[in-house]
Amino acid sequence: EAQVTQNPRYLITVTGKKLTVTCSQNMNHEYMSWYRQDPGLGLRQIYYSMNVEVTDKGDVPEGYKVSRKEKRNFPLILESPSPNQTSLYFCASSLVQGGKQYFGPGTRLTVT
Amino acid sequence: QQQVKQSPQSLIVQKGGISIINCAYENTAFDYFPWYQQFPGKGPALLIAIRPDVSEKKEGRFTISFNKSAKQFSLHIMDSQPGDSATYFCAASLTNAGKSTFGDGTTLTVKP
């Protein structure tokens, strides 16, 4: 089944403790992206990647890092999480830039 | 600066009625305009999308109307059904730059 998977689905952590949210797609898509969803603010793009080793900032990249060492994986790294990063995070992939994006199931992160 | 403004924030429609959600954008370089549907606890899923070289696209009960000169586009859901109750997001993308900007979302409730 074609899908985007994210792990973990739920995470509660404390301020300053480094964490990684994994994202993997099995559709051989070149383009992958991370979004955060907050009430009343829609989805805001954090980072995106157009191919292996090619990444760029979205609209809200502060406090986040990404890497794209393999085509299928696009992990989101929070080096020193803060409470304002409490949010619902979605990974997405598409065959081409500007094409249909397939979203993962989401990761709900709480930073205390 | 919010580049994509979506309205209304919430919408209640009777079964069989027409649901209309509007979006306005600012950047004339946007070249891909998708609508996503999101059910509670799920990631967004592409519903329908349009490119600026056409003024209307219809897929089943869902229609996008696009007005390039006014920099507006809208989603029309004909014969709305309770199963259409969800949150809808419009988006605008710069396909050559990989960036996507989403509206804040509209929560649609279709009453039986």
Side-chain angles (χ1 to χ4, degrees), chain B residues 11-97:
Chain B
L11 180 63
I12 299 174
V13 173
Q14 291 294 129
K15 178 182 176 182
I18 302 173
S19 304
I20 301 174
I21 305 171
N22 301 298
C23 280
Y25 63 97
E26 298 173 5
N27 188 345
T28 55
F30 286 137
D31 57 358
Y32 178 71
F33 301 89
W35 284 91
Y36 286 85
Q37 179 187 56
Q38 184 181 31
F39 293 105
K42 303 289 187 183
L46 181 70
L47 192 61
I48 187 172
I50 198 168
R51 295 199 184 268
D53 53 344
V54 297
S55 60
E56 185 175 281
K57 183 174 182 179
K58 183 176 181 179
E59 290 184 1
R61 296 186 294 111
F62 302 93
T63 300
I64 298 179
S65 296
F66 187 82
N67 187 328
K68 190 173 182 178
S69 61
K71 294 188 286 185
Q72 296 175 347
F73 58 110
S74 59
L75 175 69
H76 297 235
I77 305 175
M78 311 299 288
D79 187 27
S80 298
Q81 299 297 312
D84 296 330
S85 297
T87 299
Y88 293 81
F89 292 97
C90 65
S93 298
L94 288 165
T95 56
N96 64 352

Side-chain angles (χ1 to χ4, degrees), chain A residues 22-84:
Chain A
T22 64
C23 172
S24 183
Q25 51 92 4
N26 63 1
M27 296 169 279
N28 202 36
H29 286 171
E30 291 191 349
Y31 179 86
M32 298 185 75
S33 187
W34 275 103
Y35 297 88
R36 61 177 289 173
Q37 183 176 15
D38 302 288
L41 295 178
L43 291 128
R44 292 180 292 168
Q45 192 174 38
I46 303 171
Y47 269 95
Y48 61 94
S49 169
M50 290 170 278
N51 213 326
V52 175
E53 303 291 4
V54 182
T55 63
D56 207 346
K57 297 176 181 178
D59 293 323
V60 289
E62 295 78 20
Y64 304 95
K65 285 177 59 177
V66 293
S67 69
R68 187 91 182 273
K69 293 184 169 55
E70 305 167 278
K71 198 171 187 177
R72 64 182 294 130
N73 296 323
F74 190 44
L76 179 69
I77 303 157
L78 284 71
E79 295 261 354
S80 183
S82 62
N84 65 11

Side-chain angles (χ1 to χ4, degrees), chain A residues 69-101:
Chain A
K69 293 184 169 55
E70 305 167 278
K71 198 171 187 177
R72 64 182 294 130
N73 296 323
F74 190 44
L76 179 69
I77 303 157
L78 284 71
E79 295 261 354
S80 183
S82 62
N84 65 11
Q85 293 178 299
T86 292
S87 187
L88 179 59
Y89 291 86
F90 287 102
C91 179
S93 74
S94 64
L95 186 60
V96 294
Q97 287 175 212
K100 173 181 177 179
Q101 292 193 71

